[in-house]
């Protein structure tokens, strides 16, 4: 939960994720124990990947894994937080900061280089010289980096690490993830699951003790997202003068400028431009005003939403979908703030799906199912 409104990583506050940590730690120990003899696991097996929505504790997972490996003999770790580099020059970051940090961990006395190529070559030489030592590199906030930087990081650093038997890569991403050049980095990730109620209660006991008695309520509101647990916990115990951070803005992060678009779409289990147009007109416009949301405007909005990595294509639903861990939080917040708007959006979705069910006989069952879902929401008693 490395977020400006979250808590800085503290081992005493860490809960859950034992299965994922064991995957990293056990693989590292196994690789270490088989060094320097060969064969070692193939390249793809020397990469561990996790994927999860914002606020699921990916940063804490990496830092806790690094802590548990810190005192292991013949294992050195390097946690790389790509967010701290911002939009600096990619080549300079790699040559003067990132690669020298790795070389220092390997005990290299040569960490200053005139070119990126020299730094990359030194990394390979240092790995070969330390063939009985395992280097574990944990890469965080990949989604906060530009494509050009990630491509250079891949070609000048990560690809070299995947070819060495004494290097283990651990990557965390969200959404679709980066399209890596190196094939070994492309294998499907493991998904981080949301917290069960018991884990939410344990988390609150550690992080917001006064809110632990409200764990059941918080679990319902947070949908099991650890960062949301923390924020809702703080909100419950805060006084009016505390001004706790807005939970939705925090979860959206850099995408908070699109909050209203997310809010308009949160009642839909999937959407495309036609469905976007219907709910956008209902949400943004005055009654009877259909202006401003033609197909081009919806295509532009859809591209912006997908670029946040909080929206993805769902082939089974034949549309784009907001991350299912986030969508109910958005919808619950909208309903709590303005139930009339929430009901109008569901009513508009119901009418649209009924029109589609009548107009497209071959897809009648699919669209009728969606219409039934929205009818059920509409007939819920007032909150």
């Amino acid at each position: 939960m490395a977020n400006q409104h979250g808590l800085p990583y503290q081992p005493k506050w860490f809960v859950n994720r034992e299965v994922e940590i064991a995957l990293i730690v056990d693989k590292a120990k196994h690789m270490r124990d088989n060094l320097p003899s060969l064969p070692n696991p193939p390249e793809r097996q020397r990469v561990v990947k996790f994927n999860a929505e914002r606020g699921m504790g990916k940063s804490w997972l990496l830092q806790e894994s690094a802590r548990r490996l810190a005192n292991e003999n013949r294992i050195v770790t390097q946690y790389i937080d790509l967010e701290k580099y911002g939009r600096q020059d990619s080549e300079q970051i790699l040559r003067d900061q990132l690669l020298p940090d790795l070389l220092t961990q390997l005990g290299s006395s040569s960490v200053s280089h005139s070119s990126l190529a020299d730094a990359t070559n030194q990394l390979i030489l240092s790995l070969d010289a330390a063939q009985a030592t395992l280097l574990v590199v944990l890469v965080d906030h990949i989604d906060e980096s530009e494509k050009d930087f990630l491509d250079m990081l891949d070609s000048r650093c990560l690809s070299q690490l995947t070819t060495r038997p004494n290097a283990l890569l651990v990557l965390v991403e969200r959404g679709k993830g980066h399209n890596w050049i190196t094939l070994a980095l492309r294998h499907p990730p493991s998904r981080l699951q949301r917290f069960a109620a018991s884990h939410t209660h344990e988390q609150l006991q550690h992080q917001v003790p006064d809110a632990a008695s409200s764990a059941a309520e918080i679990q319902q509101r947070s949908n099991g997202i650890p960062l949301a647990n923390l924020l809702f916990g703080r909100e419950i115990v805060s006084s009016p003068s505390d001004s706790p951070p807005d939970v939705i803005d925090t979860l959206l992060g850099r995408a908070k400028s699109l909050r209203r678009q997310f809010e308009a779409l949160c009642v839909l289990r999937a959407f495309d431009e036609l469905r976007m147009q219907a709910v956008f007109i209902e949400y943004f416009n005055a009654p009877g005003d259909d202006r401003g949301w033609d197909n081009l405007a919806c295509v532009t909005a859809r591209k912006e939403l997908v670029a946040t990595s909080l929206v993805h294509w769902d082939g089974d639903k034949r549309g784009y979908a907001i991350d299912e861990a986030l969508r109910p939080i958005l919808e619950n917040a909208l309903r709590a703030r303005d139930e009339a708007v929430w009901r109008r959006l569901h009513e508009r979705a119901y009418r649209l799906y009924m029109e589609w069910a009548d107009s497209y006989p071959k897809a009648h069952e699919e669209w009728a199912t969606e219409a039934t879902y929205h009818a059920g929401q509409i007939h819920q008693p007032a909150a």
Side-chain angles (χ1 to χ4, degrees):
M1 290 178 287
N3 187 288
Q4 62 176 327
H5 295 301
L7 290 172
Y9 164 73
Q10 291 285 345
K12 64 182 180 181
W13 290 330
F14 188 87
V15 299
N16 199 10
R17 306 302 186 211
E18 293 302 322
V19 172
E20 292 81 5
I21 290 174
L23 175 62
I24 297 169
V25 172
D26 292 350
K27 183 181 284 288
K29 290 180 179 179
H30 176 75
M31 291 176 64
R32 183 268 319 272
D33 292 344
N34 283 280
L35 293 173
S37 60
L38 296 175
N40 221 289
E43 292 179 7
R44 186 173 290 247
Q45 293 182 26
R46 297 199 292 270
V47 179
V48 177
K49 291 174 64 179
F50 296 102
N51 188 289
E53 296 90 349
R54 186 189 301 278
M56 289 288 284
K58 299 184 293 295
S59 298
W60 278 46
L61 169 63
L62 292 188
Q63 292 175 81
E64 177 67 12
S65 299
R67 184 188 71 83
R68 297 194 191 185
L69 288 169
N71 296 321
E72 286 290 332
N73 185 38
R74 294 194 295 120
I75 293 179
V76 294
T77 64
Q78 181 66 39
Y79 169 71
I80 299 176
D81 183 1
L82 297 183
E83 188 175 38
K84 74 177 185 180
Y85 298 116
R87 299 180 181 273
Q88 303 173 45
D89 178 77
S90 300
E91 185 168 340
Q92 183 179 12
I93 291 170
L94 288 167
R95 184 191 68 228
D96 298 341
Q97 299 180 61
L98 202 149
L99 286 172
D101 287 346
L102 293 176
L103 290 168
T104 299
Q105 289 289 0
L106 291 168
S108 174
S109 59
S110 177
V111 296
S112 179
H113 301 88
S114 60
S115 71
L116 179 55
D118 286 343
T120 300
N121 290 336
Q122 186 60 48
L123 175 63
I124 295 171
L125 292 172
S126 297
L127 280 167
D128 291 345
Q131 57 183 289
T133 298
L134 179 72
L135 173 65
V136 181
V137 180
L138 308 105
V139 186
D140 197 6
H141 290 120
I142 290 169
D143 302 280
E144 307 301 330
S145 300
E146 298 293 329
K147 178 183 183 301
D148 290 346
F149 172 69
L150 293 175
D151 287 345
M152 187 173 291
L153 174 67
D154 183 341
S155 62
R156 293 296 190 174
C157 178
L158 302 186
S159 62
Q160 283 74 17
L161 294 176
T162 64
T163 65
R164 291 304 185 268
N166 58 331
L168 171 63
L169 277 173
V170 185
L171 312 179
V172 293
E173 298 180 286
R174 58 183 170 84
K176 184 179 179 181
H178 180 62
N179 185 25
W180 298 101
I181 300 168
T182 301
L183 291 177
L185 303 177
R186 291 187 180 182
H187 69 84
S190 299
R191 289 283 297 174
L192 290 186
Q193 301 301 311
R194 291 167 245 166
F195 275 17
S198 59
H199 294 130
T200 292
H201 184 262
E202 184 182 1
Q203 177 192 355
L204 292 168
Q205 284 182 315
H206 287 295
Q207 298 175 5
V208 196
D210 290 344
S213 60
S214 302
E217 174 193 344
I218 291 170
Q219 173 77 6
Q220 186 173 16
R221 296 173 66 190
S222 72
N223 207 24
I225 296 180
L227 177 59
N229 288 337
L230 170 66
L231 296 172
F232 282 128
R234 286 176 166 176
E235 183 181 90
I236 282 176
V237 302
S238 65
S239 65
S241 62
D242 288 339
S243 299
D246 185 278
V247 175
I248 302 301
D249 278 356
T250 303
L251 290 174
L252 291 177
R254 294 183 180 181
K256 66 181 180 181
S257 62
L258 298 172
R259 175 171 177 163
R260 299 189 72 202
Q261 286 85 339
F262 275 102
E263 195 167 72
L265 294 165
C266 70
V267 302
L268 298 176
R269 298 194 290 189
F271 60 86
D272 52 19
E273 285 77 13
L274 288 174
R275 283 173 274 190
M276 291 173 71
Q277 183 181 45
V279 296
F280 278 178
I281 289 173
E282 190 68 42
Y283 180 90
F284 288 104
N285 294 9
D289 181 3
D290 294 346
R291 295 172 298 175
W293 292 107
D294 57 18
N295 185 68
L296 179 59
C298 290
V299 168
T300 300
R302 186 256 300 163
K303 289 180 177 178
E304 291 175 339
L305 291 164
V306 170
T308 68
S309 296
L310 298 172
V311 169
H312 61 277
W313 173 258
D314 189 324
D316 293 336
K317 297 178 180 178
R318 292 209 285 174
Y320 293 90
I322 299 171
D323 286 342
E324 196 51 39
L326 176 62
R327 190 186 67 79
I329 299 177
L330 293 167
E331 184 171 0
N332 290 339
L334 170 62
R335 187 180 186 187
R337 180 179 61 80
D338 195 331
E339 183 156 359
V341 171
W342 174 81
R343 287 188 180 278
R344 285 208 326 268
L345 291 172
H346 274 293
E347 288 167 355
R348 182 65 188 95
Y350 169 78
R351 294 196 304 273
L352 178 66
Y353 283 125
M354 285 301 295
E355 292 169 8
W356 286 8
D358 293 339
S359 301
Y360 306 107
K362 291 183 178 180
H364 174 85
E365 184 176 353
E366 176 182 357
W367 303 131
T369 297
E370 290 302 305
T372 299
Y373 165 75
H374 289 285
Q377 298 298 103
I378 294 166
H379 290 107
Q380 283 187 21

